[in-house]
Amino acid sequence: DQQVKQNSPSLSVQEGRISILNCDYTNSMFDYFLWYKKYPAEGPTFLISISSIKDKNEDGRFTVFLNKSAKHLSLHIVPSQPGDSAVYFCAASEGTYKYIFGTGTRLKVLA
Amino acid sequence: EAQVTQNPRYLITVTGKKLTVTCSQNMNHEYMSWYRQDPGLGLRQIYYSMNVEVTDKGDVPEGYKVSRKEKRNFPLILESPSPNQTSLYFCASTSPVNYEQYFGPGTRLTVT
């Protein structure tokens, strides 16, 4: 049973537009959520995180929204750039250092 | 420069031949993890370590061993590899400040 789900395997967006990547979770005990970006032949790199006590966190072009009642988080990238084309993983942890990752969404930003 | 290194980057081996994938970090982090990435399954945690001599199982520990004798190193050991352990493996080190994980470049393992 997957506790963290990314239901869209892929997403294409025009350059300059907004990219919205979604993630759903089932475990209400998760208290920290993170987004990672992964390019081919490289390890994932950290993008942005949010604590369960917040509903929004912003860092430059990246904003993460957390809706605890819906057990849903989303990553907004505005404006999208061709260099943002990568696989994006959301991850959740439950007060420990044990992380559960989603299966990833491949974002393609079209020039 | 903050770094996690893994060796080897690529490895092809045969069933049953013991192997070790090394992992080292230079950030003095206490917490380190091993993951495997498989198509359609994302990243799954194999083992993690909270500090020297303290390790615990992740979601998919079967067939793997780890050790943590010093803070900077966290090797992954496959005592008797099998073809279902063919995968892309990542080591990660976690910052205690914001839970950010720093990942190594990955080790692609093929077991025939």
Side-chain angles (χ1 to χ4, degrees), chain A residues 25-62:
Chain A
Y25 62 95
T26 57
N27 187 346
S28 57
M29 299 302 290
F30 286 142
D31 59 0
Y32 213 79
F33 303 89
L34 308 95
W35 283 95
Y36 288 84
K37 177 166 77 172
K38 186 182 181 305
Y39 293 120
E42 294 181 13
T45 54
F46 171 78
L47 263 181
I48 192 168
S49 62
I50 187 167
S51 163
S52 62
I53 62 173
K54 295 186 175 182
D55 53 21
K56 178 182 174 181
N57 189 26
E58 233 174 313
D59 184 2
R61 295 186 299 115
F62 303 93

Side-chain angles (χ1 to χ4, degrees), chain A residues 2-3 32 34 36 38 41-46 49 87 89 93 95-104, chain B residues 9 31 33 35 37 40-43 45 48 50 57-59 88 90 94 96 98-101 103-105:
Chain A
Q2 263 189 303
Q3 295 187 67
Y32 213 79
L34 308 95
Y36 288 84
K38 186 182 181 305
E42 294 181 13
T45 54
F46 171 78
S49 62
V87 177
F89 292 98
S93 77
T96 64
Y97 291 105
K98 186 168 180 179
Y99 294 87
I100 307 293
F101 278 75
T103 52
Chain B
R9 294 290 312 277
Y31 183 78
S33 289
Y35 293 86
Q37 183 187 3
L41 296 176
L43 287 152
Q45 197 171 32
Y48 58 98
M50 289 81 78
K57 297 177 181 178
D59 287 326
L88 180 57
F90 291 101
T94 303
N98 60 359
Y99 294 84
E100 175 183 348
Q101 288 185 294
F103 282 83

Side-chain angles (χ1 to χ4, degrees), chain B residues 11-55:
Chain B
L11 179 59
I12 301 173
T13 190
V14 295
T15 298
K17 187 177 180 182
K18 181 180 179 180
L19 67 92
T20 298
V21 184
T22 65
C23 173
S24 183
Q25 50 99 359
N26 64 359
M27 294 164 280
N28 203 37
H29 290 159
E30 293 182 343
Y31 183 78
M32 297 180 74
S33 289
W34 274 102
Y35 293 86
R36 59 179 287 173
Q37 183 187 3
D38 301 290
L41 296 176
L43 287 152
R44 293 180 294 167
Q45 197 171 32
I46 302 170
Y47 267 95
Y48 58 98
S49 169
M50 289 81 78
N51 211 331
V52 175
E53 303 291 3
V54 182
T55 63

